C-alpha cells in the first residue's frame, strides 16, 4: 500500500481553492475537527463559536434555525472566522432542481453563497443539482460536498445510491470537493489520497461522539478513532458532544470538550498516516 499523504501535502496538490484552503487550515491548526453549532439564538451561536473557534478547522452551521437572524450575524461569523482561522460550512442539504437550488444558494434572506466556503447537497435530483449550484458557487471559489451516506438509522443512502453519488462527483470534480459519508468508500474506488492519482475527495463525517451511542431520534455516534483511523475519513463533525445543551452554554465545558475532540481526531489521524 502506498504511503498516505498528509493534509499539508494534499493541500499543495489540490486544484480546488475551497479544498486547498480547508486542507491548509487543518495542517496549520493541527485540527481535523468541524464543530456543528446547532443552536437557535444568535448570542449562543456566536458565544459557542468564539469558544470552539481555536480548536476547529471548520464551523458547520444550519443558519435557518436561528430565530433572531439578521444580516449582522453573518458579519460577526465572518469576523470570528478571521479571528480564529476557520472556514465556514453551511449544512444546507440542497435537494431540488438546478434552477431552484441556484436561487436558494444565492438569494433569499441568507445568501449562503456569499459567505459559506463549503455547502452540501443530496445527489437525489441527479447531476443537474451540481451544475445549478456550480453556476453560483464556482465563480466564488466555493466547494460542494455530496451526501453519499448518512449517519442515521435506516438511511436509504447506501449501495448503488452511494456509488452513483461518487460517480456524479467524479464527473464534476471542478466543484465537488468531497462527501458527507461514514467511510472512505474504497469499495467504490475512492483512493486513500496516495498522491498517485489526480483525484482527492475529502470525506467529512457526522455522527461522532465519545460519550454516547446515539440520540432518541435516529442519530448514531462513532468515535473519532473509528471514523478517522478505521474508516479513513478526513474530518470529524461534532455537535452536541461539544456544545452540550444549547439552552445553557457552559463556556468552560464547551472549551474542554472542543479540546478533547480536537486531540482525539488528530491522534487518530497521526496513527493513520504512520501505518
Ligand atoms: P450532533 O453531533 O449533535 O448529532 O450533530 C450532527 C450534525 O451533523 C447535525 O447538524 C446534522 O444535521 C448533521 N448530519 C448528521 O448528523 N448526519 C448526517 O448524515 C448528515 C449531517 O449533515
Amino acid at each position: 500500500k502506498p504511503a498516505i499523504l498528509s493534509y499539508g501535502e494534499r493541500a499543495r496538490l489540490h486544484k480546488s481553492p475551497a479544498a486547498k484552503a480547508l486542507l491548509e487550515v487543518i495542517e496549520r491548526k493541527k485540527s481535523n475537527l468541524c464543530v456543528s453549532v446547532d443552536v437557535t439564538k444568535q448570542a449562543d451561536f456566536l458565544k459557542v463559536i468564539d469558544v470552539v473557534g481555536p480548536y476547529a478547522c471548520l464551523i458547520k452551521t444550519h443558519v435557518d434555525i436561528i430565530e433572531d437572524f439578521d444580516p449582522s450575524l453573518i458579519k460577526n461569523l465572518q469576523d470570528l472566522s478571521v479571528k480564529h482561522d476557520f472556514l465556514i460550512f453551511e449544512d444546507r442539504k440542497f435537494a431540488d432542481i438546478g434552477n431552484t437550488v441556484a436561487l436558494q444558494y444565492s438569494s433569499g434572506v441568507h445568501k449562503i453563497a456569499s459567505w459559506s466556503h463549503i455547502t452540501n447537497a443530496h445527489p437525489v435530483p441527479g447531476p443537474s443539482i451540481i451544475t445549478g449550484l456550480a453556476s453560483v458557487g464556482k465563480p466564488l471559489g466555493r466547494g460542494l460536498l455530496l451526501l453519499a451516506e448518512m449517519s442515521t438509522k435506516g438511511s436509504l443512502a447506501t449501495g448503488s445510491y452511494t456509488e452513483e453519488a461518487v460517480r456524479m462527483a467524479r464527473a464534476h470534480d471542478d466543484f465537488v470537493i468531497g462527501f458527507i459519508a461514514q467511510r472512505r468508500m474504497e469499495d467504490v474506488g475512492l483512493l486513500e489520497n496516495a498522491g498517485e492519482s489526480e483525484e482527492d475527495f475529502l470525506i467529512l463525517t457526522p455522527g461522532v461522539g465519545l460519550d454516547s451511542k446515539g440520540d432518541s431520534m435516529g442519530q448514531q455516534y462513532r468515535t473519532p478513532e473509528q471514523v478517522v483511523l478505521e474508516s479513513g475519513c478526513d474530518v470529524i463533525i461534532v455537535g452536541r458532544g461539544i456544545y452540550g445543551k444549547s439552552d445553557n452554554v457552559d463556556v468552560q465545558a464547551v472549551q474542554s470538550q472542543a479540546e478533547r475532540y480536537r486531540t482525539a481526531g488528530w491522534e487518530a489521524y497521526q496513527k493513520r498516516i504512520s501505518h
Side-chain angles (χ1 to χ4, degrees):
K1 239 179 148 180
I4 294 164
L5 297 188
S6 70
Y7 293 115
E9 289 164 322
R10 293 169 68 187
R12 273 192 296 284
L13 294 169
H14 221 292
K15 291 190 302 281
S16 151
K20 196 187 255 306
L22 180 58
L23 288 162
E24 280 170 357
V25 181
I26 294 173
E27 185 72 46
R28 195 159 54 232
K29 294 179 75 178
K30 305 215 178 317
S31 169
N32 54 15
L33 170 65
C34 168
V35 182
S36 176
V37 189
D38 301 336
V39 301
T40 56
K41 303 244 169 21
Q42 285 207 37
D44 292 337
F45 179 79
L46 295 170
K47 191 155 135 194
V48 170
I49 294 173
D50 202 17
V51 174
V52 304
Y55 307 98
C57 60
L58 187 65
I59 295 292
K60 185 173 85 58
T61 60
H62 283 301
V63 77
D64 59 347
I65 69 177
I66 308 272
E67 289 165 2
D68 50 352
F69 178 88
D70 70 78
S72 73
L73 184 67
I74 299 305
K75 172 76 173 85
N76 290 326
L77 174 61
Q78 288 175 317
D79 288 348
L80 287 172
S81 116
V82 172
K83 174 179 173 193
H84 295 301
D85 187 24
F86 58 75
L87 297 189
I88 304 166
F89 164 23
E90 164 60 20
D91 184 3
R92 176 60 179 77
K93 296 190 179 68
F94 294 102
D96 213 319
I97 64 167
N99 183 62
T100 300
V101 295
L103 293 169
Q104 291 172 320
Y105 189 24
S106 63
S107 308
V109 175
H110 297 124
K111 306 183 194 343
I112 293 164
S114 72
W115 52 269
S116 186
H117 304 100
I118 294 169
T119 191
N120 57 356
H122 285 294
V124 67
S128 55
I129 191 166
I130 304 177
T131 44
L133 291 168
S135 73
V136 174
K138 220 192 132 190
L140 299 170
R142 306 308 190 199
L144 181 70
L145 302 167
L146 290 181
L147 284 114
E149 293 180 326
M150 291 194 74
S151 59
T152 37
K153 238 173 251 156
S155 163
L156 303 182
T158 61
S160 59
Y161 184 91
T162 301
E163 281 174 39
E164 285 302 325
V166 171
R167 216 162 285 150
M168 273 171 57
R170 287 192 161 131
H172 297 87
D173 66 354
D174 56 340
F175 186 53
V176 179
I177 62 169
F179 302 94
I180 297 296
Q182 295 294 307
R183 60 202 171 88
R184 169 68 39 191
M185 304 185 288
E186 284 170 319
D187 54 329
V188 248
L190 282 194
L191 296 178
E192 176 89 90
N193 51 70
E196 300 189 330
S197 107
E198 292 276 284
E199 180 176 291
D200 184 9
F201 289 114
L202 293 159
I203 313 279
L204 282 71
T205 305
V208 177
L210 281 162
D211 303 318
S212 158
K213 292 259 166 264
D215 66 11
S216 60
M217 298 187 194
Q219 176 67 296
Q220 306 178 108
Y221 292 122
R222 293 184 305 149
T223 64
E225 173 131 344
Q226 287 174 304
V227 165
V228 175
L229 178 62
E230 294 170 24
S231 302
C233 303
D234 295 313
V235 172
I236 56 170
I237 301 176
V238 185
R240 286 163 289 178
I242 288 178
Y243 66 76
K245 290 206 169 55
S246 59
D247 48 1
N248 176 24
V249 179
D250 174 346
V251 168
Q252 215 58 53
V254 173
Q255 181 179 349
S256 73
Q257 289 303 325
E259 210 169 343
R260 177 179 177 223
Y261 278 94
R262 182 255 191 140
T263 302
W266 196 256
E267 282 176 355
Y269 157 72
Q270 284 180 313
K271 280 192 205 164
R272 178 165 128 213
I273 57 168
S274 68
H275 266 199

